[in-house]
mmCIF file of all heavy atoms in Angstrom:
data_model
loop_
_atom_site.group_PDB
_atom_site.id
_atom_site.type_symbol
_atom_site.label_atom_id
_atom_site.label_comp_id
_atom_site.label_asym_id
_atom_site.label_seq_id
_atom_site.Cartn_x
_atom_site.Cartn_y
_atom_site.Cartn_z
ATOM 1 N N GLN A 1280 -21.679 -27.960 37.764
ATOM 2 C CA GLN A 1280 -20.386 -28.052 38.315
ATOM 3 C C GLN A 1280 -19.517 -28.662 37.060
ATOM 4 O O GLN A 1280 -20.034 -29.653 36.449
ATOM 5 C CB GLN A 1280 -20.187 -28.799 39.479
ATOM 6 C CG GLN A 1280 -21.004 -28.187 40.681
ATOM 7 C CD GLN A 1280 -20.952 -28.969 41.999
ATOM 8 O OE1 GLN A 1280 -20.925 -30.212 41.879
ATOM 9 N NE2 GLN A 1280 -20.815 -28.393 43.166
ATOM 10 N N ALA A 1281 -18.356 -28.170 36.891
ATOM 11 C CA ALA A 1281 -17.476 -28.903 35.795
ATOM 12 C C ALA A 1281 -16.088 -28.340 36.068
ATOM 13 O O ALA A 1281 -15.794 -27.375 36.813
ATOM 14 C CB ALA A 1281 -18.004 -28.213 34.521
ATOM 15 N N VAL A 1282 -15.163 -29.194 35.455
ATOM 16 C CA VAL A 1282 -13.811 -28.889 35.493
ATOM 17 C C VAL A 1282 -13.440 -28.532 33.942
ATOM 18 O O VAL A 1282 -13.592 -29.193 33.172
ATOM 19 C CB VAL A 1282 -12.861 -30.029 35.992
ATOM 20 C CG1 VAL A 1282 -11.395 -29.552 36.036
ATOM 21 C CG2 VAL A 1282 -13.352 -30.470 37.296
ATOM 22 N N PHE A 1283 -12.877 -27.366 33.852
ATOM 23 C CA PHE A 1283 -12.302 -26.850 32.599
ATOM 24 C C PHE A 1283 -10.813 -26.965 32.584
ATOM 25 O O PHE A 1283 -9.993 -26.335 33.377
ATOM 26 C CB PHE A 1283 -12.726 -25.447 32.259
ATOM 27 C CG PHE A 1283 -14.152 -25.194 31.908
ATOM 28 C CD1 PHE A 1283 -15.114 -25.070 32.977
ATOM 29 C CD2 PHE A 1283 -14.502 -25.233 30.669
ATOM 30 C CE1 PHE A 1283 -16.345 -24.852 32.698
ATOM 31 C CE2 PHE A 1283 -15.935 -25.091 30.421
ATOM 32 C CZ PHE A 1283 -16.857 -24.982 31.433
ATOM 33 N N PHE A 1284 -10.245 -27.836 31.499
ATOM 34 C CA PHE A 1284 -8.866 -28.138 31.629
ATOM 35 C C PHE A 1284 -8.363 -27.277 30.420
ATOM 36 O O PHE A 1284 -8.824 -27.215 29.268
ATOM 37 C CB PHE A 1284 -8.676 -29.661 31.302
ATOM 38 C CG PHE A 1284 -8.786 -30.532 32.460
ATOM 39 C CD1 PHE A 1284 -10.150 -31.045 32.588
ATOM 40 C CD2 PHE A 1284 -7.902 -30.768 33.337
ATOM 41 C CE1 PHE A 1284 -10.446 -32.008 33.657
ATOM 42 C CE2 PHE A 1284 -8.001 -31.672 34.446
ATOM 43 C CZ PHE A 1284 -9.382 -32.177 34.518
ATOM 44 N N PHE A 1285 -7.251 -26.673 30.718
ATOM 45 C CA PHE A 1285 -6.567 -25.676 29.626
ATOM 46 C C PHE A 1285 -5.116 -26.334 29.269
ATOM 47 O O PHE A 1285 -4.464 -26.764 30.173
ATOM 48 C CB PHE A 1285 -6.348 -24.346 30.191
ATOM 49 C CG PHE A 1285 -7.716 -23.688 30.494
ATOM 50 C CD1 PHE A 1285 -8.318 -23.736 31.672
ATOM 51 C CD2 PHE A 1285 -8.197 -22.777 29.565
ATOM 52 C CE1 PHE A 1285 -9.549 -23.116 31.904
ATOM 53 C CE2 PHE A 1285 -9.410 -22.263 29.706
ATOM 54 C CZ PHE A 1285 -10.083 -22.419 30.918
ATOM 55 N N ASN A 1286 -4.836 -26.233 27.977
ATOM 56 C CA ASN A 1286 -3.534 -26.655 27.680
ATOM 57 C C ASN A 1286 -2.563 -25.513 27.681
ATOM 58 O O ASN A 1286 -2.653 -24.565 26.973
ATOM 59 C CB ASN A 1286 -3.688 -27.097 26.060
ATOM 60 C CG ASN A 1286 -2.404 -27.738 25.502
ATOM 61 O OD1 ASN A 1286 -1.294 -27.739 26.223
ATOM 62 N ND2 ASN A 1286 -2.422 -28.373 24.459
ATOM 63 N N ILE A 1287 -1.639 -25.624 28.723
ATOM 64 C CA ILE A 1287 -0.750 -24.494 28.905
ATOM 65 C C ILE A 1287 0.645 -24.703 28.362
ATOM 66 O O ILE A 1287 1.629 -23.947 28.803
ATOM 67 C CB ILE A 1287 -0.783 -24.040 30.407
ATOM 68 C CG1 ILE A 1287 -0.279 -25.286 31.297
ATOM 69 C CG2 ILE A 1287 -2.050 -23.484 30.822
ATOM 70 C CD1 ILE A 1287 -0.127 -24.829 32.756
ATOM 71 N N LYS A 1288 0.770 -25.852 27.617
ATOM 72 C CA LYS A 1288 2.140 -25.961 26.971
ATOM 73 C C LYS A 1288 2.299 -24.995 25.718
ATOM 74 O O LYS A 1288 1.304 -24.425 25.356
ATOM 75 C CB LYS A 1288 2.141 -27.471 26.448
ATOM 76 C CG LYS A 1288 2.064 -28.655 27.554
ATOM 77 C CD LYS A 1288 2.423 -29.923 26.907
ATOM 78 C CE LYS A 1288 1.580 -30.283 25.648
ATOM 79 N NZ LYS A 1288 0.163 -30.544 26.150
ATOM 80 N N GLU A 1289 3.392 -24.876 25.327
ATOM 81 C CA GLU A 1289 3.720 -24.068 24.047
ATOM 82 C C GLU A 1289 3.080 -24.736 22.953
ATOM 83 O O GLU A 1289 3.429 -25.997 22.664
ATOM 84 C CB GLU A 1289 5.219 -23.864 23.754
ATOM 85 C CG GLU A 1289 5.806 -22.849 24.827
ATOM 86 C CD GLU A 1289 7.197 -22.406 24.248
ATOM 87 O OE1 GLU A 1289 7.715 -23.043 23.317
ATOM 88 O OE2 GLU A 1289 7.704 -21.299 24.654
ATOM 89 N N ILE A 1290 2.326 -24.046 22.167
ATOM 90 C CA ILE A 1290 1.671 -24.582 20.891
ATOM 91 C C ILE A 1290 2.638 -24.285 19.841
ATOM 92 O O ILE A 1290 2.675 -22.989 19.491
ATOM 93 C CB ILE A 1290 0.169 -24.027 20.755
ATOM 94 C CG1 ILE A 1290 -0.668 -24.097 22.073
ATOM 95 C CG2 ILE A 1290 -0.480 -24.659 19.600
ATOM 96 C CD1 ILE A 1290 -0.696 -25.593 22.511
ATOM 97 N N ILE A 1291 3.107 -25.308 19.158
ATOM 98 C CA ILE A 1291 4.150 -25.148 18.136
ATOM 99 C C ILE A 1291 3.568 -25.199 16.804
ATOM 100 O O ILE A 1291 2.527 -25.519 16.406
ATOM 101 C CB ILE A 1291 5.371 -26.071 18.419
ATOM 102 C CG1 ILE A 1291 4.815 -27.554 18.211
ATOM 103 C CG2 ILE A 1291 5.898 -25.834 19.790
ATOM 104 C CD1 ILE A 1291 5.960 -28.461 18.435
ATOM 105 N N ASN A 1292 4.548 -24.908 15.814
ATOM 106 C CA ASN A 1292 4.355 -25.064 14.442
ATOM 107 C C ASN A 1292 3.116 -24.389 13.842
ATOM 108 O O ASN A 1292 2.268 -25.116 12.942
ATOM 109 C CB ASN A 1292 4.320 -26.560 14.003
ATOM 110 C CG ASN A 1292 5.601 -27.195 14.243
ATOM 111 O OD1 ASN A 1292 6.706 -26.635 14.152
ATOM 112 N ND2 ASN A 1292 5.571 -28.457 14.692
ATOM 113 N N ASN A 1293 2.882 -23.275 14.218
ATOM 114 C CA ASN A 1293 1.766 -22.352 13.651
ATOM 115 C C ASN A 1293 2.387 -21.562 12.525
ATOM 116 O O ASN A 1293 3.222 -20.724 12.805
ATOM 117 C CB ASN A 1293 1.123 -21.584 14.761
ATOM 118 C CG ASN A 1293 0.798 -22.321 15.878
ATOM 119 O OD1 ASN A 1293 -0.324 -23.166 15.876
ATOM 120 N ND2 ASN A 1293 1.530 -22.241 17.045
ATOM 121 N N LYS A 1294 1.864 -21.794 11.313
ATOM 122 C CA LYS A 1294 2.647 -21.150 10.142
ATOM 123 C C LYS A 1294 2.112 -19.666 9.936
ATOM 124 O O LYS A 1294 1.004 -19.224 10.373
ATOM 125 C CB LYS A 1294 2.038 -21.916 8.816
ATOM 126 C CG LYS A 1294 2.698 -23.196 8.726
ATOM 127 C CD LYS A 1294 2.454 -23.800 7.431
ATOM 128 C CE LYS A 1294 2.910 -25.310 7.350
ATOM 129 N NZ LYS A 1294 4.418 -25.349 7.540
ATOM 130 N N PHE A 1295 3.076 -18.791 9.605
ATOM 131 C CA PHE A 1295 2.754 -17.404 9.335
ATOM 132 C C PHE A 1295 3.608 -16.911 7.986
ATOM 133 O O PHE A 1295 4.506 -17.697 7.659
ATOM 134 C CB PHE A 1295 3.189 -16.522 10.436
ATOM 135 C CG PHE A 1295 4.728 -16.060 10.521
ATOM 136 C CD1 PHE A 1295 5.013 -15.159 9.812
ATOM 137 C CD2 PHE A 1295 5.540 -17.017 11.049
ATOM 138 C CE1 PHE A 1295 6.534 -14.846 9.873
ATOM 139 C CE2 PHE A 1295 6.803 -16.815 11.197
ATOM 140 C CZ PHE A 1295 7.329 -15.601 10.497
ATOM 141 N N GLY A 1296 3.165 -15.915 7.510
ATOM 142 C CA GLY A 1296 3.724 -15.378 6.235
ATOM 143 C C GLY A 1296 3.154 -13.985 6.009
ATOM 144 O O GLY A 1296 2.005 -13.645 6.233
ATOM 145 N N THR A 1297 4.244 -13.106 5.625
ATOM 146 C CA THR A 1297 3.787 -11.708 5.337
ATOM 147 C C THR A 1297 2.996 -11.558 4.090
ATOM 148 O O THR A 1297 3.459 -12.041 3.058
ATOM 149 C CB THR A 1297 5.072 -10.880 5.251
ATOM 150 O OG1 THR A 1297 5.888 -11.436 4.323
ATOM 151 C CG2 THR A 1297 5.695 -10.633 6.631
ATOM 152 N N PRO A 1298 1.758 -11.169 4.149
ATOM 153 C CA PRO A 1298 0.851 -11.144 2.833
ATOM 154 C C PRO A 1298 1.575 -10.136 1.769
ATOM 155 O O PRO A 1298 1.266 -10.334 0.598
ATOM 156 C CB PRO A 1298 -0.352 -10.695 3.406
ATOM 157 C CG PRO A 1298 -0.119 -10.030 4.607
ATOM 158 C CD PRO A 1298 1.109 -10.680 5.191
ATOM 159 N N ALA A 1299 2.267 -9.109 2.192
ATOM 160 C CA ALA A 1299 2.798 -8.182 1.369
ATOM 161 C C ALA A 1299 4.229 -7.945 1.759
ATOM 162 O O ALA A 1299 4.530 -8.076 3.124
ATOM 163 C CB ALA A 1299 1.961 -6.967 1.276
ATOM 164 N N PRO A 1300 5.163 -7.467 0.935
ATOM 165 C CA PRO A 1300 6.542 -7.099 1.506
ATOM 166 C C PRO A 1300 6.471 -6.011 2.585
ATOM 167 O O PRO A 1300 5.598 -5.037 2.627
ATOM 168 C CB PRO A 1300 7.174 -6.633 0.211
ATOM 169 C CG PRO A 1300 6.476 -7.256 -0.857
ATOM 170 C CD PRO A 1300 5.035 -7.217 -0.538
ATOM 171 N N VAL A 1301 7.386 -6.257 3.680
ATOM 172 C CA VAL A 1301 7.487 -5.310 4.677
ATOM 173 C C VAL A 1301 8.898 -4.626 4.645
ATOM 174 O O VAL A 1301 9.746 -5.371 4.216
ATOM 175 C CB VAL A 1301 7.249 -5.968 6.083
ATOM 176 C CG1 VAL A 1301 5.710 -6.390 6.086
ATOM 177 C CG2 VAL A 1301 8.063 -7.213 6.323
ATOM 178 N N MET A 1302 8.988 -3.522 5.211
ATOM 179 C CA MET A 1302 10.388 -2.775 5.059
ATOM 180 C C MET A 1302 11.319 -3.328 6.179
ATOM 181 O O MET A 1302 10.822 -3.586 7.318
ATOM 182 C CB MET A 1302 10.083 -1.295 5.253
ATOM 183 C CG MET A 1302 11.256 -0.513 4.857
ATOM 184 S SD MET A 1302 11.093 1.317 5.024
ATOM 185 C CE MET A 1302 11.065 1.566 6.724
ATOM 186 N N TYR A 1303 12.493 -3.388 5.806
ATOM 187 C CA TYR A 1303 13.570 -3.777 6.699
ATOM 188 C C TYR A 1303 14.752 -2.893 6.461
ATOM 189 O O TYR A 1303 15.132 -2.646 5.371
ATOM 190 C CB TYR A 1303 13.838 -5.308 6.531
ATOM 191 C CG TYR A 1303 14.810 -5.896 7.495
ATOM 192 C CD1 TYR A 1303 14.404 -6.175 8.735
ATOM 193 C CD2 TYR A 1303 16.229 -6.068 7.205
ATOM 194 C CE1 TYR A 1303 15.369 -6.764 9.776
ATOM 195 C CE2 TYR A 1303 17.036 -6.478 8.124
ATOM 196 C CZ TYR A 1303 16.579 -6.867 9.489
ATOM 197 O OH TYR A 1303 17.501 -7.374 10.325
ATOM 198 N N ASP A 1304 15.357 -2.381 7.714
ATOM 199 C CA ASP A 1304 16.471 -1.649 7.624
ATOM 200 C C ASP A 1304 17.804 -2.530 7.680
ATOM 201 O O ASP A 1304 18.026 -3.151 8.714
ATOM 202 C CB ASP A 1304 16.547 -0.646 8.764
ATOM 203 C CG ASP A 1304 15.480 0.443 8.505
ATOM 204 O OD1 ASP A 1304 15.173 0.801 7.426
ATOM 205 O OD2 ASP A 1304 15.127 1.042 9.568
ATOM 206 N N ASP A 1305 18.439 -2.723 6.568
ATOM 207 C CA ASP A 1305 19.647 -3.510 6.408
ATOM 208 C C ASP A 1305 20.922 -2.785 6.686
ATOM 209 O O ASP A 1305 21.334 -2.203 5.795
ATOM 210 C CB ASP A 1305 19.524 -4.239 5.102
ATOM 211 C CG ASP A 1305 20.681 -5.242 4.942
ATOM 212 O OD1 ASP A 1305 21.159 -5.719 6.024
ATOM 213 O OD2 ASP A 1305 20.905 -5.796 3.859
ATOM 214 N N TRP A 1306 21.480 -3.017 7.892
ATOM 215 C CA TRP A 1306 22.633 -2.138 8.182
ATOM 216 C C TRP A 1306 23.912 -2.951 7.592
ATOM 217 O O TRP A 1306 25.044 -2.362 7.583
ATOM 218 C CB TRP A 1306 22.909 -2.172 9.805
ATOM 219 C CG TRP A 1306 22.059 -1.010 10.298
ATOM 220 C CD1 TRP A 1306 20.881 -1.045 10.926
ATOM 221 C CD2 TRP A 1306 22.497 0.386 10.383
ATOM 222 N NE1 TRP A 1306 20.501 0.169 11.372
ATOM 223 C CE2 TRP A 1306 21.460 1.116 11.039
ATOM 224 C CE3 TRP A 1306 23.569 1.129 9.991
ATOM 225 C CZ2 TRP A 1306 21.464 2.341 11.211
ATOM 226 C CZ3 TRP A 1306 23.694 2.397 10.227
ATOM 227 C CH2 TRP A 1306 22.690 3.071 10.814
ATOM 228 N N SER A 1307 23.725 -4.070 7.022
ATOM 229 C CA SER A 1307 24.866 -4.825 6.369
ATOM 230 C C SER A 1307 25.111 -4.047 5.007
ATOM 231 O O SER A 1307 26.199 -4.405 4.384
ATOM 232 C CB SER A 1307 24.752 -6.277 6.245
ATOM 233 O OG SER A 1307 23.608 -6.623 5.307
ATOM 234 N N HIS A 1308 24.215 -3.213 4.583
ATOM 235 C CA HIS A 1308 24.428 -2.521 3.355
ATOM 236 C C HIS A 1308 24.197 -0.986 3.602
ATOM 237 O O HIS A 1308 23.243 -0.409 3.075
ATOM 238 C CB HIS A 1308 23.415 -2.907 2.244
ATOM 239 C CG HIS A 1308 23.599 -4.340 1.815
ATOM 240 N ND1 HIS A 1308 22.931 -5.361 2.440
ATOM 241 C CD2 HIS A 1308 24.473 -4.962 0.970
ATOM 242 C CE1 HIS A 1308 23.310 -6.507 1.775
ATOM 243 N NE2 HIS A 1308 24.458 -6.337 0.943
ATOM 244 N N ALA A 1309 25.094 -0.470 4.613
ATOM 245 C CA ALA A 1309 24.803 0.990 4.859
ATOM 246 C C ALA A 1309 25.303 1.913 3.960
ATOM 247 O O ALA A 1309 26.139 1.508 3.050
ATOM 248 C CB ALA A 1309 25.649 1.216 6.137
ATOM 249 N N ILE A 1310 24.584 3.053 3.807
ATOM 250 C CA ILE A 1310 24.880 4.020 2.807
ATOM 251 C C ILE A 1310 24.958 5.377 3.442
ATOM 252 O O ILE A 1310 24.216 5.602 4.548
ATOM 253 C CB ILE A 1310 23.798 4.113 1.685
ATOM 254 C CG1 ILE A 1310 22.359 4.294 2.308
ATOM 255 C CG2 ILE A 1310 23.794 2.811 0.976
ATOM 256 C CD1 ILE A 1310 21.227 4.423 1.340
ATOM 257 N N PRO A 1311 25.648 6.359 2.834
ATOM 258 C CA PRO A 1311 25.561 7.716 3.502
ATOM 259 C C PRO A 1311 24.341 8.533 3.191
ATOM 260 O O PRO A 1311 23.848 8.450 2.060
ATOM 261 C CB PRO A 1311 26.876 8.418 2.771
ATOM 262 C CG PRO A 1311 27.008 7.708 1.517
ATOM 263 C CD PRO A 1311 26.538 6.283 1.717
ATOM 264 N N ASN A 1312 23.987 9.370 4.117
ATOM 265 C CA ASN A 1312 22.812 10.129 3.984
ATOM 266 C C ASN A 1312 23.279 11.394 3.188
ATOM 267 O O ASN A 1312 24.231 12.112 3.600
ATOM 268 C CB ASN A 1312 22.212 10.587 5.282
ATOM 269 C CG ASN A 1312 20.922 11.403 5.032
ATOM 270 O OD1 ASN A 1312 20.733 12.237 4.211
ATOM 271 N ND2 ASN A 1312 19.972 11.266 6.024
ATOM 272 N N GLN A 1313 22.799 11.681 1.932
ATOM 273 C CA GLN A 1313 23.255 12.829 1.121
ATOM 274 C C GLN A 1313 22.939 14.070 1.757
ATOM 275 O O GLN A 1313 23.642 15.059 1.408
ATOM 276 C CB GLN A 1313 22.668 12.623 -0.260
ATOM 277 C CG GLN A 1313 23.076 11.378 -1.020
ATOM 278 C CD GLN A 1313 22.717 11.344 -2.437
ATOM 279 O OE1 GLN A 1313 21.837 12.111 -2.862
ATOM 280 N NE2 GLN A 1313 22.985 10.239 -3.131
ATOM 281 N N MET A 1314 21.964 14.187 2.619
ATOM 282 C CA MET A 1314 21.720 15.528 3.241
ATOM 283 C C MET A 1314 22.531 15.771 4.466
ATOM 284 O O MET A 1314 23.100 16.929 4.684
ATOM 285 C CB MET A 1314 20.188 15.486 3.587
ATOM 286 C CG MET A 1314 19.161 15.314 2.467
ATOM 287 S SD MET A 1314 19.311 16.705 1.273
ATOM 288 C CE MET A 1314 18.525 17.958 2.410
ATOM 289 N N THR A 1315 22.704 14.767 5.306
ATOM 290 C CA THR A 1315 23.472 15.010 6.600
ATOM 291 C C THR A 1315 24.861 14.377 6.575
ATOM 292 O O THR A 1315 25.765 14.739 7.408
ATOM 293 C CB THR A 1315 22.589 14.363 7.727
ATOM 294 O OG1 THR A 1315 22.655 12.980 7.552
ATOM 295 C CG2 THR A 1315 21.225 15.009 7.868
ATOM 296 N N GLY A 1316 25.106 13.434 5.565
ATOM 297 C CA GLY A 1316 26.366 12.725 5.623
ATOM 298 C C GLY A 1316 26.512 11.667 6.586
ATOM 299 O O GLY A 1316 27.461 10.896 6.673
ATOM 300 N N GLU A 1317 25.550 11.393 7.370
ATOM 301 C CA GLU A 1317 25.504 10.303 8.364
ATOM 302 C C GLU A 1317 25.283 8.973 7.583
ATOM 303 O O GLU A 1317 24.572 8.844 6.569
ATOM 304 C CB GLU A 1317 24.427 10.462 9.416
ATOM 305 C CG GLU A 1317 24.621 11.737 10.337
ATOM 306 C CD GLU A 1317 23.529 11.952 11.229
ATOM 307 O OE1 GLU A 1317 22.452 11.210 11.171
ATOM 308 O OE2 GLU A 1317 23.718 12.651 12.143
ATOM 309 N N THR A 1318 25.707 7.912 8.323
ATOM 310 C CA THR A 1318 25.470 6.561 7.665
ATOM 311 C C THR A 1318 24.178 6.144 8.128
ATOM 312 O O THR A 1318 23.707 6.063 9.309
ATOM 313 C CB THR A 1318 26.581 5.605 8.212
ATOM 314 O OG1 THR A 1318 27.879 6.056 7.875
ATOM 315 C CG2 THR A 1318 26.438 4.197 7.527
ATOM 316 N N ILE A 1319 23.287 5.583 7.214
ATOM 317 C CA ILE A 1319 22.049 5.051 7.357
ATOM 318 C C ILE A 1319 21.912 3.590 6.655
ATOM 319 O O ILE A 1319 22.699 3.249 5.861
ATOM 320 C CB ILE A 1319 20.964 5.936 6.823
ATOM 321 C CG1 ILE A 1319 21.132 6.281 5.248
ATOM 322 C CG2 ILE A 1319 20.986 7.292 7.461
ATOM 323 C CD1 ILE A 1319 20.075 7.012 4.651
ATOM 324 N N PRO A 1320 20.941 2.883 7.268
ATOM 325 C CA PRO A 1320 20.782 1.492 6.704
ATOM 326 C C PRO A 1320 20.164 1.623 5.222
ATOM 327 O O PRO A 1320 19.440 2.521 4.938
ATOM 328 C CB PRO A 1320 19.879 0.713 7.679
ATOM 329 C CG PRO A 1320 19.083 1.897 8.194
ATOM 330 C CD PRO A 1320 20.078 3.068 8.392
ATOM 331 N N LEU A 1321 20.319 0.621 4.412
ATOM 332 C CA LEU A 1321 19.674 0.531 3.267
ATOM 333 C C LEU A 1321 18.232 -0.122 3.452
ATOM 334 O O LEU A 1321 18.045 -1.181 3.947
ATOM 335 C CB LEU A 1321 20.338 -0.365 2.223
ATOM 336 C CG LEU A 1321 19.864 -0.637 0.788
ATOM 337 C CD1 LEU A 1321 19.919 0.780 0.051
ATOM 338 C CD2 LEU A 1321 20.627 -1.774 0.038
ATOM 339 N N SER A 1322 17.161 0.632 3.083
ATOM 340 C CA SER A 1322 15.924 0.125 3.328
ATOM 341 C C SER A 1322 15.529 -0.761 2.163
ATOM 342 O O SER A 1322 15.570 -0.500 0.978
ATOM 343 C CB SER A 1322 14.856 1.358 3.361
ATOM 344 O OG SER A 1322 15.134 2.120 4.557
#
């Protein structure tokens, strides 16, 4: 017989970092699609 206690608080300050660049669609620098004429984000 035993009691198992679990920590159910938020566990904070766990570091992360992207090992390689990841793509992001930046709509603040939108450009026209030369094929369709529609506005698309700058990747």
Side-chain angles (χ1 to χ4, degrees):
Q1280 297 173 326
V1282 181
F1283 288 87
F1284 289 91
F1285 295 85
N1286 188 348
I1287 57 173
K1288 299 191 302 291
E1289 284 195 344
I1290 307 300
I1291 62 174
N1292 295 329
N1293 308 291
K1294 295 187 180 299
F1295 80 92
T1297 51
V1301 294
M1302 190 176 76
Y1303 186 77
D1304 289 335
D1305 187 13
W1306 278 97
S1307 65
H1308 298 93
I1310 58 176
N1312 186 322
Q1313 295 183 357
M1314 299 294 293
T1315 64
E1317 297 177 348
T1318 301
I1319 59 174
L1321 183 68
S1322 294

